[in-house]
Amino acid sequence: MEGERRPALGPPSEGLFADGHLVLWTLCSVLLPVFITFWCSLQRSRRQLHRRDIFRKSKHGWHDTDLFSQPTYCCVCAQHILQGAFCDCCGLRVDEGCLKKADKRFQCKEIMLKNDSKALDAMPHHWIRGNVPLCSYCVVCKQQCGSQPKLCDYLASKLGKQWTPLIILANSRSGTNMGEGLLGEFRILLNPVQVFDVTKTPPIKALQLCTLLPYYSARVLVCGGDGTVGWVLDAVDEMKIKGQEKYIPQVAVLPLGTGNDLSNTLGWGTGYAGEIPVAQVLRNVMEADGIKLDRWKVQVTNKGYYNLRKPKEFTMNNYFSVGPDALMALNFHAHREKAPSLFSSRILNKLELDGEQVALPNLEGIIVLNIGYWGGGCRLWEGMGDETYPLARHDDGLLEVVGVYGSFHCAQIQVKLANPFRIGQAHTVRLILKCSMMPMQVDGEPWAQGPCVVTITHKTHASMLYFSGEQTDDDISSTSDQEDIKETE
């Protein structure tokens, strides 16, 4: 209609200008976060390169960390560390911003004596003011020095007068990698030359340090599970073969992980989780008594007319088993589903103790024991009830042999609802097994085995350290007071 008027339209340039603004803001909203992320990553990489450069040139054993086991404060600015580094040799702890300053200000402790140094104090103690545990007491003035989380005092660890050369062999992969942290704590208290990670330096190589020490003087602390202890004892046997008997060390254990029946037998417990300070662990090692541990040779010879393979040989410290006990270690469930008859019938053809054949009931498994504990802390031989049996010992040259009726029987034994079938004690055990395939284990290392003859004979003795108990804080303080009185007298 002529009376109607169309709305006026603006110039085309105004619409283009608005679209341009929209595009610009869209690009900014997309590109700005990308730019910020890129800039932050660039700065982070620069800081990492800077730290690595300091680490490479420094005499400190620096390690990056953003997580300490307790509140930790910088040794330079005394502020709480959120992200920083620590030296696993001298114990210095600093935040990221103070790293360069700390590296210049603080020297790391010397780990080697100088050639021209003849004085007795050529290697002085190197104490750093830092993060003392709460409720700590100074061994010099006997005053409390750690009452709240803060940077405070120099604390010297007094390890007693009966100090002997000590070597630390730790498995950094044991106990959910707890061994890695222990390596650093031991390097701080001791000379780092004494501390070895067995995953990087094999025990046989680390134990050559004993040959530089006086005869029969060294003690070794193994931090790891029973498998790590066996690895170290195998290395000790190699020293005997090399004619180094005079340098054989005595072995103590700091158990990591779970199980640890050998450690439990020797009085060191079933597992260490940091409940006592590392300095106290060292005192315990110094106070421990020397004992002997029987070690046994397990020879497995496959049966068959055409078998030309050499017999398998194992060294046993803890126990040997065939049947349900080994089945749990091997996770043999697939084989059980395929051939259930293997686990429902008698698996033994013959059992001989010291050359005499033993009549047996319808058993499914045999366990041969060298130590008192089995299955993560169960006293298998003594069992429960009023029946009296000769105590199991680990140094009498005798093995204890028991039988089990099945996996359910094993579970009942572990919760103390049943006893095993006690077969007897012997110096030599021989088993003739006839099943086509069965689970078998030596010290927790399982495998599937066909028909065979198993012969267990005494191999050698190992020099171990037995710890009879733990000192309380009162005992420690009274002992140090008595030592101070003797010194004044």
Side-chain angles (χ1 to χ4, degrees):
M1 297 177 61
E2 293 182 358
E4 294 180 355
R5 300 181 61 186
R6 297 180 179 178
L9 297 175
S13 59
E14 293 182 2
L16 292 175
F17 184 75
D19 292 341
H21 270 282
L22 180 62
V23 171
L24 180 62
W25 282 111
T26 302
L27 289 174
C28 289
S29 63
V30 173
L31 295 179
L32 185 61
V34 174
F35 175 77
I36 294 175
T37 303
F38 175 76
W39 184 82
C40 291
S41 63
L42 182 63
Q43 293 297 111
R44 188 182 302 111
S45 62
R46 286 180 177 177
R47 291 198 305 270
Q48 290 176 350
L49 289 175
H50 180 65
R51 287 200 304 271
R52 290 174 184 173
D53 186 60
I54 296 177
F55 291 0
R56 181 174 54 85
K57 297 178 181 179
S58 176
K59 293 184 178 180
H60 287 278
W62 291 116
H63 292 271
D64 280 317
T65 185
D66 57 358
L67 179 64
F68 287 99
S69 58
Q70 61 184 15
T72 306
Y73 298 82
C74 177
C75 293
V76 177
C77 66
Q79 298 300 311
H80 183 252
I81 299 177
L82 297 178
Q83 184 175 2
F86 69 94
C87 175
D88 67 354
C89 182
C90 67
L92 189 64
R93 287 168 165 82
V94 295
D95 61 25
E96 189 176 22
C98 298
L99 177 60
K100 187 175 182 180
K101 188 182 296 184
D103 193 65
K104 292 181 178 180
R105 180 183 299 182
F106 298 101
Q107 291 183 347
C108 194
K109 64 184 179 183
E110 298 290 337
I111 63 174
M112 299 294 289
L113 288 171
K114 297 179 181 178
N115 293 331
D116 57 349
S117 297
K118 297 182 180 180
L120 295 177
D121 58 349
M123 187 179 287
H125 288 290
H126 186 89
W127 307 114
I128 293 178
R129 182 173 182 265
N131 299 273
V132 177
L134 298 181
C135 302
S136 298
Y137 286 85
C138 178
V139 297
V140 178
C141 66
K142 305 299 186 294
Q143 299 297 315
Q144 187 173 359
C145 54
S147 59
Q148 57 182 328
K150 64 178 181 179
L151 194 74
C152 60
D153 294 315
Y154 303 77
L155 182 61
S157 297
K158 194 169 185 179
L159 298 172
K161 293 183 177 180
Q162 303 300 321
W163 184 253
T164 57
L166 178 65
I167 298 173
I168 308 294
L169 301 181
N171 190 335
S172 59
R173 298 173 184 171
S174 294
T176 61
N177 295 328
M178 187 178 184
E180 183 68 34
L182 285 172
L183 284 166
E185 294 190 56
F186 282 121
R187 289 190 184 111
I188 291 171
L189 287 176
L190 304 172
N191 191 322
V193 172
Q194 302 169 242
V195 184
F196 296 90
D197 183 353
V198 295
T199 63
K200 299 177 181 177
T201 304
I204 185 58
K205 186 176 181 180
L207 290 178
Q208 292 307 301
L209 185 61
C210 297
T211 61
L212 305 177
L213 302 172
Y215 294 160
Y216 308 111
S217 64
R219 294 191 171 195
V220 168
L221 175 61
V222 181
C223 307
D226 284 352
T228 305
V229 178
W231 188 12
V232 173
L233 295 183
D234 288 341
V236 171
D237 287 344
E238 290 188 42
M239 293 180 67
K240 296 177 182 178
I241 296 173
K242 293 179 179 180
Q244 299 173 342
E245 291 89 350
K246 295 181 180 180
Y247 302 102
I248 296 299
Q250 293 177 303
V251 180
V253 184
L254 184 64
L256 303 180
T258 57
N260 301 317
D261 290 305
L262 176 58
S263 172
N264 200 14
T265 300
L266 299 176
W268 298 103
T270 58
Y272 175 77
E275 60 274 10
I276 60 175
V278 170
Q280 180 60 44
V281 172
L282 297 180
R283 295 188 190 98
N284 294 344
V285 174
M286 293 299 103
E287 295 166 2
D289 300 317
I291 60 169
K292 296 294 184 182
L293 172 71
D294 290 324
R295 304 191 78 210
W296 301 83
K297 181 176 75 173
V298 180
Q299 182 172 298
V300 181
T301 306
N302 294 327
K303 295 178 66 176
Y305 294 104
Y306 304 104
N307 182 30
L308 301 178
R309 289 183 296 177
K310 293 182 179 179
K312 302 175 185 176
E313 286 193 3
F314 306 88
T315 301
M316 183 186 80
N317 301 311
N318 298 2
Y319 33 70
F320 163 87
S321 66
V322 56
D325 173 51
L327 171 65
M328 291 183 283
L330 185 60
N331 194 11
F332 221 67
H333 299 294
H335 294 271
R336 183 169 187 173
E337 291 174 358
K338 293 179 181 178
S341 61
L342 296 181
F343 301 90
S344 61
S345 61
R346 185 170 169 176
I347 65 172
L348 293 172
N349 184 31
K350 185 186 295 185
L351 172 63
E352 296 177 359
L353 301 184
D354 290 337
E356 296 185 6
Q357 187 171 344
V358 180
L360 297 173
N362 191 26
L363 299 172
E364 286 193 16
I366 291 290
I367 303 173
V368 182
L369 299 160
N370 178 48
I371 60 176
Y373 287 98
W374 162 87
C378 177
R379 298 287 299 188
L380 188 63
W381 175 254
E382 287 82 5
M384 53 177 286
D386 298 329
E387 298 174 286
T388 58
Y389 290 89
L391 293 177
R393 292 181 58 89
H394 49 267
D395 59 354
D396 58 358
L398 284 173
L399 294 166
E400 287 72 39
V401 185
V402 301
V404 293
Y405 296 105
S407 56
F408 183 68
H409 187 206
C410 285
Q412 287 180 310
I413 294 171
Q414 287 186 310
V415 296
K416 298 182 180 180
L417 293 178
N419 285 328
F421 178 79
R422 295 179 181 87
I423 299 173
Q425 295 177 299
H427 297 88
T428 302
V429 176
R430 185 169 180 260
L431 302 93
I432 300 176
L433 308 174
K434 64 180 182 180
C435 280
S436 59
M437 191 62 64
M438 69 200 78
M440 192 173 290
Q441 67 142 334
V442 174
D443 288 352
E445 297 296 329
W447 73 96
Q449 177 65 46
C452 65
V453 176
V454 179
T455 306
I456 305 176
T457 55
H458 192 271
K459 179 180 180 181
T460 185
H461 284 103
S463 298
M464 308 299 292
L465 290 169
Y466 179 85
F467 183 61
S468 57
E470 296 181 359
Q471 283 188 319
T472 63
D473 293 338
D474 295 335
D475 295 333
I476 296 169
S477 60
S478 64
T479 302
S480 61
D481 291 340
Q482 292 174 2
E483 290 178 355
D484 293 334
I485 292 173
K486 291 179 182 178
E487 288 176 358
T488 57
E489 292 175 352

